[in-house]
Amino acid sequence: MSTTPTRVVGYLRVSTQQQADEGVSLEAQRTKLRAYAVAMDLELVALCEDAGVSAKTLQRPGLRAALELLEQGKADGLVVAKLDRLTRSVRDLGELVDRYFHSRFSLLCLADSIDTRTASGRLVLHVLGAVSQWEREATAERTRDALAQIKADGVILGREGFGWKRGVVDDAAPRLGKQPIESEALTIRRLVEQRNVGRTFVQIAALLEAEGHATKRGGRWHPTTIQRILRRERDHENDP
């Protein structure tokens, strides 16, 4: 009894530098995918192409079109001549596996002998997925450790708050830390003083505007800005 051929959409990609390279040109990929479809009894429903496009992102017109054909039920799998035509990023491959090729659709790759319709092909893809997960976790771990060390060294992260700027702290071991800005410190004392005598955030904002106090980035004073600065000052005072 005959079986229905698997419907696949072919995806092709070349970057600008690779367009003339032997074996990866669009025409070479088209030829390989068509021959592979015939040899493996696949129904090649479409060829989607990205020319002169980097693999650094998954937001490529040709790739999005190919994946859309899968979502629309017009194809059961994706076929590529080589895995790096699909992506060069282990992380992006992991995302594609999680969203499309773990169980919903098939992935076939000529050069890398991947065919997730078979047990061995699924095993290869699972290994690649495990490597991708490891890379994500290892990257997150390295980032967390690096940030912890930076903080331990006294480096201030995030945007500069009102009243201070980044600068070299003059001590036995110079490091990048907080340096006060006297003009902004005077403004902070002024708004704290006004809050202590019972003025609202709206009234304080209007007063600072009238007196010509500058904001951090040259905009207008807003009640939420006053509230944020006062909260930060209160939290600073409560720090042990």
Side-chain angles (χ1 to χ4, degrees):
M1 185 174 63
S2 62
T3 59
T4 303
T6 299
R7 299 171 305 163
V8 296
V9 54
Y11 175 68
L12 307 79
R13 182 188 66 81
V14 291
S15 64
T16 302
Q17 294 79 11
Q18 293 169 324
Q19 288 179 351
D21 288 354
E22 183 179 357
V24 297
S25 68
L26 288 177
E27 187 55 42
Q29 291 178 64
R30 291 190 202 102
T31 300
K32 289 178 181 179
L33 293 184
R34 286 170 178 151
Y36 182 77
V38 172
M40 301 301 293
D41 193 25
L42 304 172
E43 181 184 351
L44 189 61
V45 299
L47 288 171
C48 297
E49 304 177 359
D50 280 314
V53 179
S54 169
K56 293 180 180 178
T57 175
L58 296 178
Q59 300 305 316
R60 298 172 239 149
L63 178 58
R64 302 316 303 174
L67 296 176
E68 186 63 26
L69 289 174
L70 297 179
E71 294 283 8
Q72 293 173 353
K74 296 179 179 179
D76 307 305
L78 183 75
V79 59
V80 293
K82 194 175 181 181
L83 201 56
D84 64 8
R85 300 301 87 205
L86 181 60
T87 178
R88 291 180 178 272
S89 165
V90 177
R91 180 177 301 160
D92 286 346
L93 177 61
E95 180 179 339
L96 290 170
V97 169
D98 291 342
R99 295 181 58 185
Y100 297 98
F101 306 121
H102 180 69
S103 58
R104 300 171 63 198
F105 306 106
S106 300
L107 176 63
L108 301 92
C109 176
L110 284 65
D112 300 285
S113 301
I114 295 174
D115 183 346
T116 61
R117 299 175 301 168
T118 68
S120 59
R122 289 191 294 273
L123 175 61
V124 171
L125 203 60
H126 289 160
V127 170
L128 291 173
V131 171
S132 176
Q133 180 179 350
W134 171 82
E135 184 189 50
R136 289 194 297 268
E137 293 176 353
T139 299
E141 190 174 85
R142 289 193 297 270
T143 301
R144 185 174 61 250
D145 292 345
L147 289 175
Q149 184 59 52
I150 289 172
K151 290 180 180 179
D153 291 340
V155 176
I156 307 301
L157 302 177
R159 296 174 66 180
E160 295 178 342
F162 190 80
W164 62 272
K165 64 180 179 180
R166 287 184 179 82
V168 176
V169 178
D170 187 16
D171 56 15
R175 66 186 188 282
L176 194 64
K178 287 184 177 180
Q179 285 188 339
I181 301 175
E182 184 56 33
S183 60
E184 294 181 1
L186 290 172
T187 300
I188 291 175
R189 287 196 287 271
R190 181 63 168 153
L191 66 87
V192 169
E193 170 192 285
Q194 293 300 306
R195 185 61 176 169
N196 288 339
V197 298
R199 290 188 181 271
T200 66
F201 299 136
V202 173
Q203 290 172 330
I204 297 173
L207 178 66
L208 295 181
E209 286 283 350
E211 293 181 349
H213 293 271
T215 63
K216 187 73 173 178
R217 292 166 182 83
R220 295 182 60 83
W221 284 101
H222 298 282
T224 53
T225 306
I226 304 298
Q227 185 179 25
R228 184 167 58 249
I229 293 173
L230 287 169
R231 183 187 301 118
R232 192 198 68 204
E233 291 298 307
R234 183 177 63 251
D235 292 344
H236 179 72
E237 290 176 358
N238 293 332
D239 285 342

